[in-house]
Amino acid sequence: MKRRSVILSTDPGIDDAVAIALALFSEELDVKLICPIFGNVSLEHTKSNTEKLLTLYRKTPEVVSGSARPLLRDAINASDIHGESGMDGYEFPDATIFSNSSRTAVEAMHEVVNQEEQTTLVGIGPLTDIALFLHLYPQDLAKIDRIVVMGGSLGRGNYGVLSEFNFAADPEASKIVFNSGLPIQVAPLEVGNQAKIMPEVTDKIRSFGEIGEMIYQLFTKYRSGSFEAGLNMYDALAIALIVEPEMFEIVSTRVEIETATSLTYGASLIDLENYLDLPANAEVAVNVDPIQFEEWFVESLARTAE
Ligand code: RIB
Ligand code: CA
């Protein structure tokens, strides 16, 4: 079966590191391009972290750096969750895979999309580069089969009172993506909070060789949830939405991004009750089966040891 062509825009980031492994070792996906972007930590760190991860994973998708800052707002970060490096907890071997392309992420996206019949864009960090790509290459939209994002929240946020980090990091970019007219699938915070990875699972993953040890060590420093009570695996959900959608309860609904007010800047209004009376523009995962997710998560990461 032909693998699905995928472009990853990511801000590693501990949960990104796991999502990148899930995508690269998947039997269903063909990761053509990885674009590190600012987000959890600076672009300098996310680029270096991407290179270290690919060296450890022994995988060689093209890597082209993306934006160092959001479209309009001031840059924010989540180093309190992921550590100053963005991947605290594990001493990575020196990278031997480097991205030295002079192109922008948007130019690289344009090239990859026009080499493939259809491509899935995956956003597991701020959506700045995906928004710029859609804005600069409208003729390419017909070659994008869907955009899958981890972001937003059905209720309360994890960055602001009502804003989730990825969308809050670049609200204008998020609005451009949801106004694109393309099929969009969303994994919001709440399904990440359901898909907790418990200590016994983390211990099992540790047995998956060098990559399993890395994941275990990163998890000891990851501050979203807790090692003992369960870690929130946000970005892995975007990969799961593509390869195992049946694990999820998915609702077709309207998603609007607040960009006009200071108090709710970056909030995602996921209009499950149709108060806004606007046509649906996204398919939103509102529940995930935690047992099925855990089984898929462990089975998928076991492939890194093969
Ligand atoms: O809100 C969770 C998201 O913000 C995840 O993508 C995590 O990596 C951080 O970027
Ligand atoms: Ca991320």
Side-chain angles (χ1 to χ4, degrees):
M1 178 185 73
K2 185 176 180 326
R3 290 172 181 238
R4 176 188 295 274
S5 170
V6 166
I7 293 173
L8 267 181
S9 174
T10 176
D11 60 337
I14 291 172
D15 61 324
D16 299 71
V18 178
I20 292 168
L22 290 165
L24 288 171
F25 287 90
S26 161
E27 293 170 343
E28 294 94 347
L29 303 181
D30 181 3
V31 180
K32 296 289 188 184
L33 172 66
I34 296 182
C35 300
I37 189 170
F38 83 95
N40 285 318
V41 288
S42 68
L43 174 63
E44 181 186 3
H45 279 308
T46 62
K47 175 180 181 287
S48 166
N49 290 343
T50 301
E51 293 166 344
K52 289 174 182 173
L53 288 168
L54 295 181
T55 299
L56 189 68
Y57 296 164
R58 295 182 176 83
K59 297 285 185 178
T60 54
E62 188 178 15
V63 179
V64 178
S65 291
S67 295
R69 53 165 290 100
L71 297 180
L72 286 179
R73 68 159 298 160
D74 54 314
I76 60 176
N77 70 70
S79 57
D80 57 325
I81 303 292
H82 301 264
E84 286 306 312
S85 71
M87 292 200 308
D88 280 12
Y90 183 75
E91 278 305 312
F92 283 84
D94 290 342
T96 56
I97 293 174
F98 298 103
S99 159
N100 47 24
S101 169
S102 59
R103 290 168 299 155
T104 64
V106 172
E107 289 165 336
M109 289 175 178
H110 173 61
E111 286 173 18
V112 166
V113 163
N114 284 283
Q115 288 163 1
E116 302 297 322
E117 281 181 34
Q118 287 287 291
T119 298
T120 297
L121 299 182
V122 180
I124 52 176
L127 298 178
T128 314
D129 289 323
I130 292 178
L132 286 169
F133 168 69
L134 299 177
H135 197 68
L136 292 171
Y137 294 101
Q139 72 275 22
D140 287 355
L141 267 64
K143 298 176 81 69
I144 305 299
D145 77 325
R146 76 176 88 161
I147 300 173
V148 182
V149 300
M150 186 281 136
S153 62
L154 301 171
R156 305 185 74 77
N158 67 342
Y159 178 77
V161 175
L162 296 177
S163 55
E164 175 277 329
F165 180 82
N166 284 341
F167 289 1
D170 198 333
E172 288 74 18
S174 303
K175 184 184 279 287
I176 288 170
V177 170
F178 282 98
N179 288 348
S180 67
L182 282 172
I184 300 174
Q185 290 187 309
V186 185
L189 278 182
E190 285 77 4
V191 284
N193 300 337
Q194 289 176 357
K196 289 194 186 300
I197 298 304
M198 306 309 285
E200 56 272 19
V201 174
T202 305
D203 287 340
K204 193 181 298 180
I205 291 166
R206 189 177 195 178
S207 69
F208 296 160
E210 197 181 350
I211 295 174
E213 177 64 22
M214 172 209 78
I215 292 173
Y216 178 89
Q217 295 302 336
L218 291 179
F219 282 2
T220 63
K221 296 291 184 186
Y222 182 52
R223 293 290 171 270
S224 183
S226 77
F227 198 92
E228 294 70 28
L231 296 165
N232 300 318
M233 280 302 109
Y234 295 123
D235 290 335
L237 291 153
I239 307 305
L241 256 183
I242 302 170
V243 299
E244 293 286 344
E246 60 279 1
M247 288 194 285
F248 298 89
E249 178 189 358
I250 296 172
V251 174
S252 184
T253 187
R254 183 75 184 192
V255 178
E256 288 289 333
I257 307 296
E258 178 57 75
T259 54
T261 69
S262 58
L263 291 177
T264 56
Y265 188 45
S268 53
L269 286 81
I270 301 180
D271 188 15
L272 301 178
E273 305 301 325
N274 195 31
Y275 291 117
L276 302 175
D277 195 22
L278 292 170
N281 61 351
E283 291 188 341
V284 178
V286 293
N287 283 300
V288 66
D289 179 317
I291 306 300
Q292 289 181 26
F293 177 81
E294 182 183 299
E295 288 169 358
W296 168 80
F297 190 75
V298 172
E299 180 187 301
S300 301
L301 288 178
R303 285 197 205 107
T304 66
E306 289 169 0

